[in-house]
Amino acid sequence: MSGNSQYFNMKGSGLYVHIPFCKRKCIYCDFFSGGESLADWDLLVDSLLSELKTRLQELSMVPDTLYLGGGTPSLIPSDQFVKLHDGIISILNKTEPWKEFTIEINPDDVSDDKCREWKECGVNRVSMGIQSFIDTELKVIRRRHNAECAINAYRTLSGYFDNISIDLMFGLPGQTLMSWVKSVEMALELSPEHISTYSLMFEEGTPISVLKKQGRLSFPSEDESVEMWRVLSSRLKKAGYIQYELSNYSRDGKESIHNTRYWLGNQYLGIGPSAHSYDGLRTRRANPADIKGYMHHFSTDKVRPFYNEEVLTEEELKEEMLLTRMRMRQGLDIREYESNFGAHARERLLRNADPFLRNATLLSDSYNLRLTDDGIMIADEIILALSM
Ligand code: SF4
């Protein structure tokens, strides 16, 4: 494959830190976060560091990627940001710089001061939630920024960072193919190293799902959304981006190392309310989505675990491997699949793959099974069939 294949072959471990506060809630979002007015930053950072100390032994190697996600990590006040980062370094006894240190940010939090502070702490990748460059679309989903703010924020960031990722969304209320093309063109003009694109999802309980059920917002049809996806894919590829995962495009060598770890089943530790962890073998751990309970737990009880644990069965491991690897450009390594699950599982997989290989939605080179461009359009159907 083209692209920087060292990232895809790498085994390592990552640390994820969930910052559970947002200034206000976007109407489509089901990520766990509470209002910033509730934020006790000092207590949160103490609790995060306390959790890291108690769970360090779950990692078999020192993490070399750090990802601050949320919520809105760009809201962390300066002194708390330094305290959090220095605390992590000291607990991990880390001497090497981060291979990748990403912070998720909102455009209206970006300033020269913040950029300097993030950079001084070792941040080398920023991921900015822009979603759209059309003001009316941003307003209806209750983003805090407008297009001008996002463009200015991007220009400020690019004075400090050479690895910037932006998020774009399609299927938004009121979005048309023409307005989507405008957003994509604007993104290409800015020319970030990485672009993540998401189709709007209607998660249970989000305000946007309620508004949809009530018929109070209009959305692009399924056909229009498919066309948006096609236009996006062809424009980005033409501009030299590599689609290294179904929703992720990057310049060569700028694939997200941390996120690739999730897809490759490497180990990672997630700390903070609602954070998830995986031991790289078969144990998943999930912290409850409870900010108060989390902070109370780590300021009083440092012995009992806060997380819930799940040990994956053979069948679940198989499904997960199919789901994550088939989303990646490199596809599924059939030898690895066989070595994990046996020759019988391999035969069944190839039997299930046969119709898709024959209609050219799947491709099999010497050792890998992967989606073709036509296969990407029906990825869910293929992955489901492969796992039968
Ligand atoms: S800023 Fe991000 S995490 Fe917060 S509500 Fe909006 S989409 Fe969700």
Side-chain angles (χ1 to χ4, degrees):
M1 61 180 287
S2 62
N4 194 341
S5 60
Q6 60 156 321
Y7 294 136
F8 296 98
N9 300 324
M10 195 163 44
K11 281 259 176 200
S13 100
L15 177 63
Y16 172 82
V17 181
H18 190 80
I19 305 298
F21 299 115
C22 289
K23 263 196 184 145
R24 75 173 185 220
K25 200 80 188 166
C26 308
I27 62 169
Y28 58 87
C29 176
D30 79 329
F31 288 125
F32 179 61
S33 66
E36 193 206 8
S37 55
L38 303 171
D40 182 335
W41 291 105
D42 205 31
L43 186 55
L44 174 70
V45 171
D46 285 345
S47 304
L48 290 167
L49 295 176
S50 171
E51 183 184 12
L52 179 60
K53 258 185 227 154
T54 61
R55 298 187 59 189
L56 204 53
Q57 79 291 347
E58 290 174 36
L59 291 170
S60 63
M61 55 192 119
V62 178
D64 57 12
T65 61
L66 173 60
Y67 195 105
L68 301 190
T72 312
S74 49
L75 289 177
I76 308 175
S78 298
D79 54 336
Q80 297 300 331
F81 192 88
V82 174
K83 182 170 121 182
L84 175 64
H85 182 255
D86 289 357
I88 290 172
I89 295 291
S90 143
I91 293 165
L92 296 177
N93 205 5
K94 192 165 169 55
T95 49
E96 298 288 311
W98 297 106
K99 201 166 261 171
E100 188 181 273
F101 176 2
T102 303
I103 178 172
E104 283 181 357
I105 59 178
N106 264 15
D108 59 334
D109 293 327
V110 175
S111 66
D112 283 294
D113 283 349
K114 285 256 184 188
C115 288
R116 265 192 294 275
E117 164 201 314
W118 295 331
K119 201 168 166 105
E120 271 164 25
C121 279
V123 170
N124 53 23
R125 182 172 184 272
V126 289
S127 172
M128 181 156 65
I130 292 181
Q131 320 309 355
S132 163
F133 286 99
I134 307 296
D135 287 347
T136 48
E137 292 171 8
L138 290 167
K139 202 163 170 199
V140 78
I141 56 172
R142 282 185 57 79
R143 294 296 304 194
R144 290 192 274 135
H145 63 275
N146 59 20
E148 189 188 356
C149 170
I151 293 165
N152 289 339
Y154 186 90
R155 296 206 166 118
T156 303
L157 288 169
S158 56
Y160 297 86
F161 301 99
D162 62 4
N163 196 354
I164 302 175
S165 176
I166 67 170
D167 289 356
L168 291 179
M169 289 179 81
F170 59 96
L172 295 176
Q175 196 174 41
T176 61
L177 186 57
M178 204 189 283
S179 72
W180 173 241
V181 169
K182 270 194 193 159
S183 284
V184 174
E185 293 295 331
M186 189 63 232
L188 290 175
E189 202 177 312
L190 296 177
S191 191
E193 285 69 30
H194 190 282
I195 302 178
S196 297
T197 56
Y198 303 99
S199 151
L200 176 70
M201 304 297 284
F202 297 96
E203 306 292 353
E204 195 59 35
T206 54
I208 206 163
S209 304
V210 176
L211 291 167
K212 187 181 182 222
K213 269 185 208 143
Q214 294 171 340
R216 288 169 58 193
L217 289 176
S218 69
F219 297 89
S221 67
E222 211 173 312
D223 285 352
E224 282 168 325
S225 288
V226 169
E227 196 47 34
M228 286 178 187
W229 169 281
R230 279 193 202 278
V231 166
L232 168 87
S233 181
S234 86
R235 301 243 171 162
L236 263 50
K237 283 179 190 164
K238 213 159 134 197
Y241 287 88
I242 299 161
Q243 186 179 18
Y244 71 104
E245 198 269 349
L246 285 189
S247 305
N248 289 281
Y249 298 78
S250 79
R251 299 277 183 214
D252 196 4
K254 296 291 189 180
E255 300 88 350
S256 163
I257 307 174
H258 185 88
N259 290 339
T260 300
R261 294 245 158 92
Y262 297 150
W263 304 320
L264 287 183
N266 290 180
Q267 67 171 216
Y268 57 89
L269 178 65
I271 58 171
S274 84
H276 287 65
S277 307
Y278 182 55
D279 70 351
L281 300 167
R282 58 169 63 210
T283 305
R284 294 207 169 280
R285 299 186 175 103
N287 283 345
D290 174 1
I291 302 175
K292 268 195 184 155
Y294 177 82
M295 301 208 276
H296 178 73
H297 182 91
F298 285 102
S299 51
T300 53
D301 182 347
K302 298 182 175 109
V303 181
R304 277 179 313 124
F306 184 68
Y307 54 74
N308 300 311
E309 188 172 281
E310 181 194 11
V311 179
L312 299 179
T313 63
E314 186 94 341
E315 219 35 53
E316 287 167 335
L317 282 173
K318 227 185 284 177
E319 273 169 29
E320 226 168 81
M321 189 172 184
L322 278 172
L323 189 69
T324 49
R325 303 298 170 84
M326 291 306 295
R327 289 183 58 91
M328 296 182 72
R329 186 168 191 269
Q330 65 182 22
L332 175 77
D333 183 330
I334 298 168
R335 293 164 305 176
E336 192 187 352
Y337 189 79
E338 180 173 357
S339 108
N340 287 356
F341 307 113
H344 181 68
R346 176 182 182 272
E347 277 159 31
R348 201 170 75 178
L349 172 75
L350 292 178
R351 225 179 9 254
N352 290 339
D354 190 54
F356 302 104
L357 287 166
R358 278 195 273 126
N359 71 13
T361 48
L362 274 181
L363 190 74
S364 163
D365 47 34
S366 38
Y367 301 116
N368 281 33
L369 192 62
R370 56 194 163 89
L371 297 166
T372 62
D373 283 351
D374 285 338
I376 286 174
M377 304 310 298
I378 52 163
D380 290 347
E381 183 194 322
I382 297 179
I383 294 169
L384 183 69
L386 292 180
S387 61
M388 300 303 266

